[in-house]
């Protein structure tokens, strides 16, 4: 069975840092783009960041997190990490990881869209207090 498990959420003060992890199993992890979305209470789900397979070597960041968040992958551990620094109250949301095939949708501003995701994990809550 395909599984994507997000972890690392929690409560942090504004300006602080958190590191989210997405552990994957049940598919060929190294062949897939992995992305992070987030959904604040009462809002639509927004894309945050994605990373392509290592052979392609691309990452994408939404404007709202560019320069503060860093995405990385460890194919040996089937894990993608999202290092979140300089957190703001507006970063408060449930964060979801998802996997999608680069042959169908690219990890880019055009390709990283909800309907392009093949697999979704359950979310992890990030709360940033002011």
């Amino acid at each position: 069975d395909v599984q994507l498990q997000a972890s690392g959420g929690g409560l942090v003060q504004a300006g602080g840092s958190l590191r989210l992890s997405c552990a994957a199993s049940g598919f060929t992890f190294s062949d897939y783009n992995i992305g992070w979305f987030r959904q604040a209470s009462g809002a639509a789900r927004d894309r945050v960041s994605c990373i392509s397979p290592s052979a392609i070597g691309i990452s994408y960041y939404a404007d709202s997190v560019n320069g503060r968040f860093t995405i990385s992958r460890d194919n040996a551990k089937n894990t993608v990490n999202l290092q979140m620094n300089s957190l703001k109250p507006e970063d408060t949301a449930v964060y979801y990881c998802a996997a999608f095939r680069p042959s169908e949708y690219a990890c880019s501003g055009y390709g990283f869209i909800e309907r392009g995701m093949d697999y979704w994990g359950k979310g992890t809550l990030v709360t940033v207090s002011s």
Side-chain angles (χ1 to χ4, degrees):
D1 290 350
V2 171
Q3 289 192 2
L4 289 166
Q5 182 63 56
S7 63
L11 174 64
V12 64
Q13 288 188 331
S17 298
L18 279 176
R19 185 178 188 233
L20 304 185
S21 293
C22 176
S25 61
F27 62 99
T28 307
F29 175 81
S30 59
D31 289 347
Y32 278 69
N33 298 313
I34 305 294
W36 288 93
F37 290 81
R38 67 186 181 186
Q39 187 168 23
S41 179
R45 190 154 51 186
D46 289 332
R47 57 189 185 179
V48 175
S49 179
C50 63
I51 188 166
S52 70
S54 300
I56 300 175
I58 294 171
S59 58
Y60 163 85
Y61 298 93
D63 289 345
S64 58
V65 307
N66 196 23
R68 300 187 297 122
F69 291 11
T70 303
I71 193 168
S72 61
R73 68 188 298 155
D74 184 339
N75 291 329
K77 296 181 179 179
N78 283 11
T79 300
V80 165
N81 296 311
L82 185 68
Q83 179 66 41
M84 307 187 297
N85 298 330
S86 302
L87 283 162
K88 305 174 181 179
E90 51 263 44
D91 294 317
T92 295
V94 178
Y95 284 70
Y96 300 88
C97 60
F100 57 114
R101 287 166 289 179
S103 59
E104 300 292 329
Y105 292 89
C107 172
S108 69
Y110 294 101
F112 184 32
I113 54 177
E114 276 196 72
R115 63 180 174 87
M117 301 301 106
D118 293 297
Y119 309 120
W120 288 92
K122 294 181 180 179
T124 186
L125 176 62
V126 172
T127 303
V128 184
S129 63
S130 57

